[in-house]
Amino acid sequence: MNWIGRRLPRLEDPALLKGGGSYVADRASKAAAVCFVRSPVARGTIVDIEIPSDGIIFTGRDLVDVKPIRPILHRPDYVAIGQPVLPVDRVSFCGQAIAVVVADDPALAEDVAEQVFVDIDVADAIIDFEAALALDATPVHPDAASNVLVEGRMRTQGLDKAFADAAEIVTLDVRSHRQSAAPMENRGGLAEYDAASGRVTLTASVQMPHMLRTGIADTLGMPESDLRVIAPDVGGGFGQKMSLFPEYVVLVWLARKLKRSVAWIEDRRENLLASAHGRDQAFSLRGAFAGDGRLLGLDADLRSNIGAFSCYPVTCGVEPLMAFAELPGPYDFAEYGVRSRGVTTNTCMMAPYRGVSRPTLTFSMERMMDVAAKRLGIDAAEIRRRNLIKTFPHRSPTGLVYDEGSYLQAMEVALDAADLPAFRERQAAMRERGQYLGVGLSVFSERTGYGTPAYAARGMEIVPGYEIVDCSMDPSGDVVLRIGSSPHGQGLKTSLAQLVSDELGIEPQRIRIISGDTDATPYGWGTFASRSMVIAGGASKLAAGKVAVKLKTIAATLMETSPDNIELKDGWARVSHSNQAMEIGALARAAYHQSHRFKGLLPGLHESAVYDPGGTFSNACHVAMVEVDIETGGVRIERFLVAEDAGVLINPMIVDGQITGGVAQGIANALFEEIVYDDTGNLLTASFADYLPPTAAEIPEIEIMHMETVSPESVTKAKGVGEGGAIGAPAAIVNAICDALSPFGIELFELPATPQRIREALRRAGVATYA
Amino acid sequence: MKAAAFDYLRPASLGEALALLATHKDDCKILAGGQSLVPAMNFRLARPAILIDINDLDELDHLRADAGQLKIGALTRHAAFHRPVVEGPLGTLLAKVVRHIAHYPIRQRGTFAGSLSHADPASEWCLVATTLRAEMVAKSARGERVIAASDFFHGTFTTALEPDEILAEIRLPIMTPDWRVGFYEFSRRAGDFALGMAVAAAKVEDGTIREARLGVGGVGDRAIRLGALEDQLVGTPASSDVIDSIDRIAREARGMIEPSGDIHASPEYRRDLIAASVKRALTEALA
């Protein structure tokens, strides 16, 4: 029986659904409670911190020996900024931790924190990143005079000619407002001190436990061996939980200083205030189009607000450099000019958030395609047909090499399923009745599963990418897989078990996967960038494959045949074209207990493998059908279709779950979620009453179709699929809104397209003004 | 996000509760459903020294039709209105409105009287009480008084209730079968507070509107009864040409309000939403 391709219910779910999950807060009840005192202002000089006499309180002055968090890119345009774990002299954003309180329980800790008085000499904050770019702008950091911390530039030789030859030049200014990944579980950490060994165990809701261990050890100047990091069940991360945050450094410092266990469980207000944000971007594009709709060249000026600090380890280059490299997306054109800047401001730090720049760049390119199509009198699908990548491998203007994909086919499949002719009929009929339907397309590529070469190309000092997997079969034939990747709710353990099952011929239930414990797993890079299935999956397959080879050798010896004649399936090693067979458990027992019989083999069944691929591109087409209420600006999503090509599907149900969740966050990006600061840098969206993740009521059923292009770039034949849903949905939805409002000539270039913004555009167009 | 320390008292009778209120006045808060109060305490925006839990007071747990009025006791939960609680248009309207109040679990605990006492300007029940001319029965150790809805709401989170008073009962006039009702609300997500909403009701006899009720909420510091527009509706035929009057009334409603703005809705946008809400509520009631 093959396990790959089956909709196997997730092995993780029984515990999670019956309250058997174990999250940081579940483990923290016995520890002292930690509360951070946070800056009430965005910028200023710390004059004095008055602390009550009866409490355990520390400030930056107590932690002067702790090094700042200072991630590095080896690029001439990069300005490294250090983030003090607790600042001594100045605060740089509203919500920055400036003191820490330890008390017996969280309520008492808050009581003490309220009595800490911070005297700050407030200065004018730089909140808007366009203002930060002004020539006379005050520097946010003394070390970065221009407020630009990273800048990528390139220009192909033929760009000017492309614009000279253009029949139509489309110019657009796109704005994506700031968002939070808003994981269900906030951040949190429990630091336990072991008096016997002097070691600290940090249990934290994180995506990269090994990276956290390295980062904390470096910052505190302690050996990594004195620190164990555990990521238990994690309730979503979406990139927000990748970075090294000051709070975790402080927790380990406290545990060592006080020689006791301390825990900090972040609340939602803190999460919205001081965990990482993303997507605060302004892109200005000029597209040179030939009369037949072919895109000849693209010239782009991209600005990304990176906030007050650079995130560790991926740095503040993550959004600007992703945008720089991947703006061309699924389109085949040669001439490209780009300037992409990361701009620092007195706002919360930016870090990766599901999609990283690609929601904004896909939105930009797809809006541009629709605008160009209208100007040139070409159908929206047709202009894409003329521009999509059709031959592989494809080399983009920035040098990225796209493996085999199905850009055109995915679009055609989605369009067929959407039945556009019927939709257009209904659209026309409903317009007669004053109801406005629209359809929007979004075609995009998703670069996934990339190893060290891609990160090295960015000049990162810490180059992530590979994964190491240890695979052991015990004497009863059950398997333990130790992975450096660290799932946070995606069902990775089920998918890996299915992969390994097919290699070893045993049921997935017999495979236990150990992750998220630096004492028990090989060094790895955790989970981000749609990498786990491709890279940890690849390493798992390779490691299990080595165990399989050994099992076959043992089976061949015991059954006196050649290993080539052995097939591992359904718990048995069978000799082909014969009735001879042995249970795999019996072979495993022999491997350990009869090892003297197998000449040239090491005893036992334990193998390791490393996988470090170059990367593979998934692709998809999203189609949104919406109804816009012209009087209220409200948008109802009628249908949402996804034609996805993520290569071979290991567990289609889990893949569908990834796509559905991603689209839900894409809908949030398109219509609902927006972090808003006032002019002084005070956060106005500090709860879910004002920051608006959509609920189940706002998310339609997502209709998903799959293509499975087999890529030689992935040993599992699987491509990554973690981010695509979030990448494509905003463009499809806003294109649909603009199609609905085309009778009024309305074009929107801002995310989210809130009812207020839609209504504003309608009012300007003189629609339903009650004048 | 943990509440500051407080004392918790759970009186066994209304008399005992009123005595506690008389003693502690501004230092205490009444806990019924706790769906607004407890989050505010967790944010430390509310810091009562004492919570008086009224959930054991059977005297406050009633919901009945009596002498032409629907009498809603202080412990009546939102969820009680999921099905019509009284025959005719009032029960229908309340069942329609209640679905817009927060989410199912919140409706199981939150109370009608709690919403009114809290006096959030975007509260659906405050709009209903204002528009339908509810009477509020306030009790204290000093006695009982009945407050008209028009006198009850003083502004955002403020009411006519004295610190020693409890809102014991709300009385809504029961509508005869010749009333027609409509409600419309616009919010960002299902269950969010209204950015704009309207309640409309009209008593129609022989094809003509004899009496009208029209109110809007989610704008300003309290729900607003549009009395001038109610007067315009009276005498209008409730037939196909009512559509023209609805458009005119929606336009006038838009101009009669002075909404404030926030990140979700500018004053101008709120005016648009009020026009749309009035139009839709009236259309539902009349067209």
Side-chain angles (χ1 to χ4, degrees):
Chain A
M1 184 190 293
N2 284 330
W3 291 95
I4 289 176
R6 295 177 62 180
R7 306 178 80 88
L8 183 68
R10 304 195 328 164
L11 304 176
E12 295 91 334
D13 284 346
L16 294 177
L17 295 176
K18 292 177 187 166
S22 177
Y23 297 85
V24 178
D26 295 322
R27 303 181 180 197
S29 57
K30 292 195 183 98
V34 168
C35 177
F36 288 94
V37 178
R38 297 183 180 277
S39 175
V41 299
R43 182 191 178 97
T45 307
I46 299 173
V47 179
D48 188 27
I49 302 178
E50 281 177 36
I51 56 176
S53 50
D54 57 339
I56 307 171
I57 302 155
F58 299 100
T59 70
R61 295 202 183 282
D62 301 303
L63 281 81
V64 283
D65 293 338
V66 179
K67 286 189 216 118
I69 299 167
R70 194 166 178 273
I72 301 290
L73 282 183
H74 292 294
R75 297 170 56 98
D77 54 74
Y78 179 75
V79 183
I81 296 294
Q83 176 180 17
V85 169
L86 292 177
V88 173
D89 52 352
R90 62 195 174 93
V91 293
S92 301
F93 71 97
C94 184
Q96 185 176 5
I98 43 185
V100 62
V101 172
V102 183
D104 288 343
D105 71 51
L108 287 174
E110 276 191 52
D111 290 350
V112 177
E114 283 183 340
Q115 296 163 39
V116 176
F117 177 71
V118 188
D119 182 6
I120 296 175
D121 186 7
V122 181
D124 287 342
I126 310 266
I127 305 306
D128 176 52
F129 60 113
E130 303 284 19
L133 285 171
L135 286 176
D136 59 349
T138 315
V140 170
H141 298 285
D143 300 343
S146 69
N147 287 324
V148 174
L149 297 192
V150 62
E151 176 166 352
R153 272 182 193 250
M154 72 165 283
R155 194 172 178 86
T156 56
Q157 286 195 337
L159 187 64
D160 290 338
K161 184 172 184 316
F163 277 88
D165 293 346
E168 188 71 44
I169 293 173
V170 175
T171 302
L172 47 109
D173 289 304
V174 165
R175 183 74 169 88
S176 164
H177 292 282
R178 177 181 291 243
Q179 293 193 298
S180 164
M184 272 193 291
E185 183 200 16
N186 292 319
R187 292 182 299 145
L190 161 68
E192 293 170 294
Y193 181 77
D194 178 51
S197 63
R199 293 183 89 210
V200 173
T201 298
L202 176 67
T203 303
S205 186
V206 296
Q207 294 174 232
M208 300 174 83
H210 286 93
M211 195 67 260
L212 197 64
R213 188 184 73 187
T214 300
I216 292 171
D218 284 355
T219 310
L220 292 178
M222 65 189 279
E224 284 199 47
S225 57
D226 280 356
L227 181 60
R228 174 186 183 186
V229 176
I230 293 173
D233 283 328
V234 174
F238 312 110
Q240 191 190 74
K241 294 178 180 171
M242 285 171 64
S243 300
L244 172 61
F245 286 95
E247 290 92 343
Y248 295 131
V249 181
V250 172
L251 285 176
V252 175
W253 184 89
L254 284 171
R256 284 159 59 97
K257 172 88 178 170
L258 302 172
K259 302 200 185 321
R260 65 191 284 198
S261 298
V262 294
W264 165 69
I265 305 300
E266 185 183 56
D267 61 40
R268 184 60 65 184
R269 181 172 164 276
E270 288 180 292
N271 184 269
L272 288 165
L273 198 59
S275 286
H277 297 160
R279 315 230 200 291
D280 194 0
Q281 299 177 305
F283 290 1
S284 300
L285 269 59
R286 287 171 67 232
F289 286 86
D292 64 358
R294 286 277 302 168
L295 178 59
L296 304 173
L298 178 66
D299 197 0
D301 180 27
L302 316 174
R303 285 93 65 206
S304 301
N305 187 344
I306 63 92
F309 295 108
S310 192
C311 55
Y312 175 104
V314 296
T315 79
C316 65
V318 65
E319 283 187 327
L321 297 181
M322 178 78 84
F324 166 91
E326 300 198 17
L327 182 63
Y331 297 111
D332 184 2
F333 62 94
E335 306 304 337
Y336 180 50
V338 60
R339 179 188 195 195
S340 185
R341 286 171 286 178
V343 187
T344 185
T345 58
N346 294 114
T347 60
C348 178
M349 177 181 84
M350 295 293 174
Y353 169 31
R354 197 177 199 169
V356 182
S357 272
R358 287 163 296 181
T360 312
L361 67 87
T362 298
F363 178 66
S364 305
M365 292 299 284
E366 295 305 282
R367 291 295 299 121
M368 187 174 77
M369 284 295 164
D370 271 20
V371 171
K374 271 178 206 163
R375 293 236 197 113
L376 292 163
I378 303 171
D379 175 71
E382 184 56 30
I383 197 168
R384 288 171 172 82
R385 273 184 205 108
R386 292 177 192 176
N387 284 295
L388 286 170
I389 298 165
K390 297 176 194 74
T391 55
F392 303 95
H394 165 80
R395 193 178 171 83
S396 83
T398 55
L400 297 180
V401 177
Y402 293 50
D403 55 339
E404 181 92 18
S406 58
Y407 298 87
L408 194 58
Q409 299 89 322
M411 185 177 77
E412 303 297 359
V413 164
L415 288 172
D416 278 354
D419 193 0
L420 279 194
F423 176 84
R424 291 292 182 202
E425 257 180 51
R426 203 156 53 84
Q427 181 185 41
M430 286 182 72
R431 264 182 203 169
E432 296 290 313
R433 301 204 298 269
Q435 287 179 287
Y436 293 86
L437 298 186
V439 60
L441 277 177
S442 168
V443 184
F444 62 94
S445 57
E446 181 190 358
R447 187 187 188 196
T448 72
Y450 36 108
T452 55
Y455 294 100
R458 282 189 201 164
M460 291 174 69
E461 179 165 272
I462 296 169
V463 180
Y466 57 85
E467 281 301 327
I468 307 169
V469 169
D470 293 345
C471 180
S472 304
M473 183 177 275
D474 69 21
S476 62
D478 292 346
V479 168
V480 171
L481 206 67
R482 295 168 190 274
I483 64 172
S485 181
S486 190
H488 54 287
Q490 311 96 318
L492 180 64
K493 291 184 176 182
T494 304
S495 302
L496 292 182
Q498 285 177 262
L499 265 177
V500 170
S501 287
D502 276 4
E503 290 297 312
L504 294 173
I506 59 171
E507 292 182 341
Q509 289 78 3
R510 295 180 67 182
I511 296 160
R512 194 156 58 89
I513 292 165
I514 296 177
S515 66
D517 180 347
T518 57
D519 271 9
T521 60
Y523 201 93
W525 297 99
T527 297
F528 63 97
S530 305
R531 66 190 301 274
S532 296
M533 200 61 247
V534 178
I535 307 180
S540 297
K541 179 182 163 80
L542 295 174
K546 288 184 186 176
V547 173
V549 167
K550 203 162 171 183
L551 280 174
K552 286 180 184 178
T553 307
I554 291 166
T557 307
L558 295 176
M559 294 188 281
E560 297 178 344
T561 180
S562 150
D564 296 343
N565 290 335
I566 302 289
E567 188 191 18
L568 303 175
K569 207 164 189 180
D570 301 337
W572 291 82
R574 296 178 202 281
V575 180
S576 44
H577 312 297
S578 96
N579 293 329
Q580 259 196 304
M582 287 185 73
E583 276 196 86
I584 287 173
L587 300 176
R589 187 162 286 268
Y592 286 92
H593 299 169
Q594 298 284 311
S595 62
H596 62 283
R597 295 172 67 180
F598 312 113
K599 301 281 179 258
L601 289 187
L602 292 172
L605 293 164
H606 175 87
E607 299 289 346
S608 276
V610 180
Y611 190 49
D612 185 15
T616 174
F617 281 79
S618 297
N619 65 271
C621 175
H622 290 190
V623 179
M625 292 174 169
V626 305
E627 181 179 353
V628 183
D629 182 334
I630 59 165
E631 292 179 339
T632 64
V635 174
R636 186 179 61 85
I637 302 171
E638 196 176 59
R639 282 182 78 188
F640 199 100
L641 301 95
V642 176
E644 174 81 39
D645 190 340
V648 170
L649 307 180
I650 309 300
N651 183 323
M653 181 190 72
I654 288 176
V655 173
D656 288 354
Q658 281 282 10
I659 293 168
T660 301
V663 168
Q665 282 184 313
I667 290 171
N669 192 354
L671 300 174
F672 293 98
E673 294 182 17
E674 180 174 351
I675 295 274
V676 183
Y677 287 105
D678 70 11
D679 294 341
T680 67
N682 182 40
L683 184 69
L684 300 179
T685 48
S687 82
F688 280 170
D690 286 314
Y691 187 77
L692 306 178
T695 71
E698 284 75 44
I699 305 297
E701 189 175 335
I702 315 297
E703 302 167 49
I704 301 169
M705 293 145 282
H706 293 287
M707 266 139 297
E708 296 190 60
T709 300
V710 173
S711 169
E713 301 299 325
S714 166
V715 294
T716 61
K717 311 280 191 286
K719 297 180 171 189
V721 72
E723 298 167 278
I727 291 170
I733 289 168
V734 178
N735 277 343
I737 293 169
C738 295
D739 182 53
L741 300 181
S742 59
F744 312 114
I746 287 171
E747 300 285 359
L748 303 170
F749 300 100
E750 198 170 358
L751 291 172
T754 58
Q756 176 168 226
R757 291 193 173 111
I758 291 169
R759 187 54 214 143
E760 174 70 30
L762 283 157
R763 196 182 310 114
R764 269 188 271 116
V767 181
T769 55
Y770 298 94
Chain B
M1 215 179 280
K2 305 288 179 196
F6 58 89
D7 288 330
Y8 172 83
L9 303 175
R10 193 168 177 124
S13 70
L14 181 57
E16 194 188 329
L18 296 179
L20 289 170
L21 280 169
T23 307
H24 299 296
K25 296 201 173 73
D26 281 332
D27 290 338
C28 66
K29 273 279 188 188
I30 296 169
L31 175 69
Q35 298 302 296
S36 299
L37 176 61
V38 173
M41 288 171 65
N42 285 342
F43 273 107
R44 300 195 170 200
L45 296 171
R47 319 176 65 119
I50 300 160
L51 275 191
I52 299 179
D53 186 334
I54 60 168
N55 281 284
D56 285 346
L57 307 186
D58 294 341
E59 301 100 310
L60 302 178
D61 194 5
H62 62 267
L63 176 63
R64 59 174 176 266
D66 179 22
Q69 288 182 315
L70 179 65
K71 296 186 171 170
I72 303 166
L75 284 176
T76 304
R77 315 285 163 179
H78 305 309
F81 300 92
H82 280 160
R83 292 164 191 276
V85 293
V86 57
E87 272 184 44
L90 180 64
T92 308
L93 178 66
L94 297 177
K96 199 187 290 281
V97 170
V98 73
R99 306 186 62 82
H100 294 268
I101 299 174
H103 307 102
Y104 188 84
I106 291 175
R107 295 199 291 267
Q108 303 302 317
R109 292 211 61 81
T111 62
F112 192 103
S115 283
L116 265 50
S117 309
H118 186 53
D120 189 304
S123 147
E124 289 83 358
W125 288 147
C126 293
L127 170 63
V128 165
T130 299
T131 309
L132 301 187
R133 303 174 200 185
E135 291 172 356
M136 321 298 183
V137 180
K139 291 189 179 178
S140 70
R142 295 175 287 123
E144 174 183 314
R145 63 182 178 129
V146 177
I147 309 168
S150 53
D151 299 326
F152 184 79
F153 297 105
H154 286 184
T156 305
F157 305 141
T158 55
T159 67
L161 289 173
E162 296 293 334
D164 64 342
E165 282 183 316
I166 183 170
L167 176 56
E169 185 179 273
I170 295 94
R171 297 171 181 163
L172 283 172
I174 292 173
M175 298 170 179
T176 48
D178 49 3
W179 280 85
R180 303 190 199 166
V181 292
F183 176 75
Y184 184 80
E185 169 173 334
F186 185 84
S187 63
R188 292 291 304 277
R189 300 171 299 189
D192 275 347
F193 278 113
L195 296 183
M197 61 180 164
V199 168
K203 185 178 168 72
V204 179
E205 284 173 359
D206 306 325
T208 304
I209 298 171
R210 300 294 179 196
E211 264 189 84
R213 302 278 183 272
L214 185 61
V216 295
V219 286
D221 68 351
R222 71 196 88 173
I224 303 164
R225 227 187 80 202
L226 301 172
L229 300 181
E230 290 176 351
D231 293 345
Q232 287 186 29
L233 280 164
V234 173
T236 310
S239 60
S240 57
D241 37 315
V242 82
I243 300 294
D244 288 340
S245 355
I246 287 174
D247 272 348
R248 178 174 49 76
I249 283 171
R251 190 179 310 126
E252 289 195 26
R254 195 180 181 288
M256 288 170 74
I257 51 169
E258 287 295 335
S260 53
D262 59 33
I263 57 170
H264 301 299
S266 65
E268 195 61 9
Y269 179 49
R270 278 211 157 84
R271 282 196 194 95
D272 285 354
L273 291 177
I274 286 305
S277 300
V278 164
K279 181 174 160 181
R280 291 169 191 199
L282 277 173
T283 304
E284 184 177 290
L286 296 172

